[in-house]
């Protein structure tokens, strides 16, 4: 299948010069030249389309995350420089374009599905539920970076028969997109649970499904856990607070009908089964390690050190010149001192064998630890302290075993052998004065502990979730060096739109232009 990927936010007038038109044409599927396809093939092509933003890739980690989200959460340390809080155009453009190429593949899947008979549609319905779930997972990430985005009208060029004039995509408000996704996912949770799937279709689905290998129970856990993530994200807003409380409670109180990712065995991942087939075997290594993108920040490292965190030796390793001492980079040192510490290999780095040189490191979508922390937050707000504590402690235990599991799947041993986490060590950590649930004096302090554990767990592995949760939850605040040379003195509240929107989609862009700055917070960031 030779479908061309489609960047669907661009819109050009037919009067543009031929050289510009040809460049534009290359980014679109020509309906008259599309090779014969099927729901099954289009489904897999759709899943592969955004793999570089799921599996740890060079471009995502080096170009995008190294100088944006990983810094905004202080998951990493870096030498301060001017303009460091303004996301670069290369990062914004590529992340945006990749999403719309991905969305284009989904629209093609919708188009193929729409042409089926009613019986064929019923048989292939499982593909559409799975595809929409995966799309919504990544749509939430884009909404949480930018706010309003083209969505309901985006990606329609092929559907519109190649008519450019009909295909200029308008912007959907983020609240509307969240509503659409939550409504659909709630329906999917009930529909898929009661669906009878044709055995022949299920056999094909198991082959084509790169996420859960056709396991319907896993897809149900993915759907309900994704619902939890979205509902938690908007739970503090006036528009969604009541809905979030009711639906989270309905999910957590009925695991039979609404199963969730409750253990690491249930984690939803994009896995590597053969090296080099979906992404370069060394992409994570160069993406995270090049130009010192894997330096440990002072605050995250000292939190682990101070509290004897059993994850420490799995997540970090000492600098080669530090004689076994774990030293994080202080964000308030002068740039020259920071550069010297980094260059002399004195500061600690992220554990290479667990993370960047682990060639089997999966693309992490949703895991049990983050689900338990969401449940802990829900029960805390509901005044159910015992249940909140149980999920908080389970979230920590699952996180410890998660990093042990990641190291266990690694085919690299360059880093020192970690200290195996014993039950006694985990129990001692949970009893630590700065960690224990009972040691928190009030609801605010307990929420802070949940937020800290979420931050420790996400670090550089789940940077999108890390930055979104840090903006949403105010109880856990980090101090940053202020860049007095730039109007953007501190990390931003959102990403701006790529310049192509103002160039090619101006009429629609003008409707959101007033909010297109780095300071306007997302609607759930209150």
């Amino acid at each position: 299948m030779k479908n061309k990927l489609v960047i669907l936010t661009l819109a050009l007038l037919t009067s543009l010069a031929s050289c510009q038109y040809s460049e534009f044409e290359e980014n679109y599927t020509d309906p008259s030249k599309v090779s014969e396809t099927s729901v099954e093939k289009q489904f897999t092509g759709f899943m592969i389309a955004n793999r570089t933003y799921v599996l740890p890739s060079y471009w995502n980690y080096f170009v995008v995350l190294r100088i944006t989200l990983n810094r905004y959460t202080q998951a990493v340390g870096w030498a301060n420089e001017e303009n460091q809080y303004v996301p670069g155009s290369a990062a914004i453009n590529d992340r945006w374009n990749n999403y719309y190429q991905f969305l284009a593949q989904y629209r093609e899947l919708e188009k193929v599905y729409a042409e089926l008979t009613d019986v064929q549609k019923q048989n292939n319905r499982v593909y559409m539920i799975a595809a929409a779930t995966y799309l919504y997972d990544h749509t939430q990430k884009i909404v949480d970076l930018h706010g309003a985005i083209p969505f309901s009208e985006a990606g329609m060029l092929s559907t519109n028969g190649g008519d450019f004039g009909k295909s200029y995509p308008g912007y959907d408000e983020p609240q509307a997109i969240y509503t659409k996704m939550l409504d659909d996912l709630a329906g999917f949770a009930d529909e898929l649970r009661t669906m009878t799937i044709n055995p022949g279709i299920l056999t094909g689905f198991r082959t084509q499904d790169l996420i859960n290998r056709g396991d319907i129970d896993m897809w149900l856990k993915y759907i309900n856990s994704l619902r939890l993530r979205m509902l938690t994200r908007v739970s503090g807003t006036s528009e969604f607070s009541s809905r979030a409380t009711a639906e989270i409670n309905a999910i957590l109180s009925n695991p039979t009908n609404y199963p969730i990712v409750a253990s690491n065995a249930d984690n939803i991942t994009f896995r590597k089964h053969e090296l080099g087939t979906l992404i370069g075997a060394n992409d994570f290594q160069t993406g995270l390690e090049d130009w010192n993108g894997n330096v440990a920040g002072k605050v995250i490292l000292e939190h682990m050190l101070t509290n004897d965190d059993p994850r420490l030796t799995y997540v970090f390793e000492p600098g080669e010149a530090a004689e076994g001492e774990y030293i994080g980079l202080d964000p308030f040192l002068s740039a020259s001192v920071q550069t010297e510490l980094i260059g002399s290999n004195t500061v600690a780095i992220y554990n290479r064998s667990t993370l960047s040189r682990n060639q089997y490191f999966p693309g992490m979508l949703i895991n049990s630890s983050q689900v338990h922390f969401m449940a802990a937050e829900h029960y805390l707000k509901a005044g159910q302290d015992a249940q909140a504590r149980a999920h908080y402690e389970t979230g920590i235990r699952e996180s410890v075993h998660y990093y042990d599991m990641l190291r266990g799947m690694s085919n690299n041993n360059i880093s020192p052998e970690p200290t195996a986490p014993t039950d006694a060590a985990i129990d001692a950590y949970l009893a630590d004065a700065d960690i224990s649930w009972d040691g928190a004096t009030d609801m605010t302090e307990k929420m802070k502990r949940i937020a800290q554990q979420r931050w420790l767990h996400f670090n550089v592995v789940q940077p999108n979730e890390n930055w979104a949760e840090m903006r949403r939850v105010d109880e856990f605040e980090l101090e940053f060096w202020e860049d007095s040379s730039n109007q953007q003195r501190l990390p931003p509240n959102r990403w701006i739109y790529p310049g192509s929107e103002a160039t090619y989609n101006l009429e629609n862009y003008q409707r959101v232009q007033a909010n297109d700055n780095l300071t306007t917070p997302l609607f759930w960031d209150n």
Side-chain angles (χ1 to χ4, degrees):
M1 182 175 64
K2 297 182 180 179
N3 279 358
K4 295 180 181 178
L5 297 179
V6 185
I7 301 176
L8 294 154
T9 54
L10 302 179
L12 291 179
L13 299 176
T14 56
S15 60
L16 288 180
S18 60
C19 63
Q20 293 173 302
Y21 184 89
S22 64
E23 291 171 1
F24 170 72
E25 187 178 33
E26 289 175 0
N27 291 319
Y28 285 83
T29 300
D30 181 344
S32 67
K33 297 178 181 179
V34 175
S35 301
E36 183 178 350
T37 186
S38 64
V39 167
E40 296 93 334
K41 292 178 181 179
Q42 196 65 41
F43 174 77
T44 302
F46 156 73
M47 285 191 145
I48 289 175
N50 76 329
R51 67 192 181 281
T52 57
Y53 281 92
V54 183
L55 292 163
S57 69
Y58 169 79
W59 188 273
N60 186 26
Y61 266 91
F62 182 78
V63 178
V64 180
L65 299 174
R66 180 178 57 87
I67 56 174
T68 59
L69 275 58
N70 283 346
R71 291 184 177 184
Y72 302 161
T73 60
Q74 285 190 24
V76 298
W78 70 96
N80 291 319
E81 58 187 351
E82 294 181 355
N83 206 40
Q84 66 180 10
Y85 299 124
V86 178
S89 60
I92 292 173
N93 292 340
D94 193 77
R95 187 70 183 91
W96 182 272
N97 291 342
N98 181 272
Y99 171 75
Y100 284 100
Q101 292 167 358
F102 171 63
L103 179 59
Q105 291 284 9
Y106 178 76
R107 298 301 186 206
E108 288 297 310
L109 174 60
E110 286 186 314
K111 182 181 176 182
V112 173
Y113 182 76
E115 295 172 353
L116 301 178
T117 66
D118 289 344
V119 172
Q120 290 172 327
K121 286 180 180 178
Q122 182 177 352
N123 284 337
N124 286 278
R125 177 63 178 159
V126 64
Y127 283 101
M128 302 309 294
I129 291 175
T133 299
Y134 189 63
L135 172 70
Y136 292 167
D137 185 342
H138 298 286
T139 298
Q140 183 190 19
K141 290 178 170 60
I142 297 298
V143 169
D144 291 350
L145 288 174
H146 297 280
I149 62 168
F151 182 66
S152 61
E153 299 175 1
M156 297 296 187
L157 184 65
S158 179
T159 302
N160 292 336
D163 187 330
F164 298 150
K166 291 182 179 180
S167 304
Y168 298 88
Y171 281 71
D172 296 76
E173 288 300 318
Q175 296 92 327
I177 299 174
Y178 262 88
T179 298
K180 164 69 174 172
M181 295 191 297
L182 286 170
D183 288 349
D184 286 354
L185 289 169
F188 297 160
D190 291 325
E191 182 181 359
L192 187 59
R193 174 171 54 86
T194 58
M195 179 184 292
T196 299
I197 304 175
N198 181 299
I201 294 294
L202 187 57
T203 298
F205 184 54
R206 287 170 179 154
T207 300
Q208 303 296 142
D209 175 14
L210 301 179
I211 305 299
N212 292 316
R213 297 298 178 184
D215 189 324
I216 301 303
D217 289 337
M218 289 293 287
W219 275 104
L220 286 168
K221 292 173 183 178
Y222 189 6
I223 289 168
N224 290 309
S225 299
L226 182 57
R227 292 173 66 197
L228 283 179
R229 193 180 81 192
M230 291 184 183
L231 290 163
T232 300
R233 191 68 44 79
V234 300
S235 61
T237 68
S238 58
E239 304 101 315
F240 290 96
S241 60
S242 296
R243 175 176 186 170
T245 299
E247 292 193 18
I248 292 174
N249 187 63
I251 294 168
L252 295 179
S253 63
N254 193 350
T256 300
N257 286 344
Y258 303 114
I260 57 175
V261 176
S263 72
N264 284 315
D266 298 332
N267 289 347
I268 309 299
T269 64
F270 200 133
R271 288 164 287 174
K272 294 181 184 178
H273 297 276
E274 294 182 27
L275 295 182
T277 55
L278 291 171
I279 205 165
N282 297 318
D283 270 16
F284 197 9
Q285 175 181 337
T286 55
L288 186 62
E289 294 180 25
D290 283 8
W291 290 19
N292 306 302
N294 62 342
V295 169
K298 178 182 179 181
V299 180
I300 190 170
L301 186 61
E302 288 192 352
H303 191 287
M304 286 187 156
L305 283 168
T306 301
N307 300 294
D308 292 326
D309 194 315
R311 292 164 291 196
L312 174 65
T313 55
Y314 284 87
V315 178
F316 292 109
E317 59 179 287
E320 293 179 2
E323 298 181 348
E325 184 180 359
Y326 288 87
I327 301 172
L329 191 65
D330 188 335
F332 292 100
L333 294 174
S334 67
S336 59
V337 173
Q338 291 171 329
T339 300
E340 170 60 27
L341 288 170
I342 294 171
S344 62
N345 295 320
T346 301
V347 291
I349 58 175
Y350 274 89
N351 190 294
R352 292 167 292 175
S353 294
T354 303
L355 302 178
S356 55
R357 301 195 186 186
N358 179 355
Q359 294 181 326
Y360 288 98
F361 198 96
M364 186 53 59
L365 297 169
I366 292 182
N367 55 68
S368 62
S369 185
Q370 72 179 111
V371 170
H372 283 291
F373 291 139
M374 290 187 285
E377 179 178 335
H378 168 74
Y379 285 121
L380 175 63
K381 292 178 179 178
Q384 300 181 53
D385 192 76
Q387 288 178 286
R389 173 179 180 166
H391 282 285
Y392 169 74
E393 293 184 349
T394 301
I396 293 174
R397 292 183 188 278
E398 286 292 291
S399 181
V400 173
H401 294 309
Y402 168 79
Y403 283 99
D404 185 24
M405 176 188 71
L406 290 175
R407 180 58 181 257
M409 67 174 60
S410 179
N411 58 349
N412 181 276
N413 291 304
I414 192 173
S415 303
E417 187 70 22
T419 303
T422 64
D423 290 339
I426 299 174
D427 289 342
Y429 180 69
L430 292 173
D432 184 277
D434 292 331
I435 305 300
S436 73
W437 189 256
D438 290 339
T441 57
D442 54 25
M443 181 175 174
T444 298
E445 183 62 27
K446 289 176 180 177
M447 187 63 227
K448 180 178 180 179
R449 295 193 179 197
I450 294 172
Q452 286 177 327
Q453 288 299 325
R454 193 154 37 203
W455 172 65
L456 292 167
H457 175 71
F458 286 152
N459 55 71
V460 297
V461 175
Q462 291 175 272
N464 285 275
E465 300 310 309
N466 207 1
W467 190 45
E469 287 302 293
M470 287 204 64
R471 285 176 288 159
R472 181 181 69 87
V473 179
D474 294 332
E475 283 81 358
F476 181 40
E477 296 180 350
L478 295 169
E479 294 182 354
F480 289 83
W481 172 81
E482 291 194 27
D483 181 8
S484 59
S485 68
N486 194 283
Q487 185 177 358
Q488 190 63 38
R489 301 169 68 92
L490 294 169
N493 290 320
R494 61 178 291 275
W495 279 12
I496 59 174
Y497 298 111
S500 58
E501 284 298 287
T503 302
Y504 300 119
N505 196 18
L506 180 59
E507 182 177 350
N508 291 305
Y509 168 73
Q510 286 176 331
R511 298 189 181 105
V512 298
Q513 188 174 10
N515 291 326
D516 190 19
N517 53 65
L518 297 173
T519 57
T520 299
L522 274 291
F523 77 98
W524 45 252
D525 182 8
N526 49 27

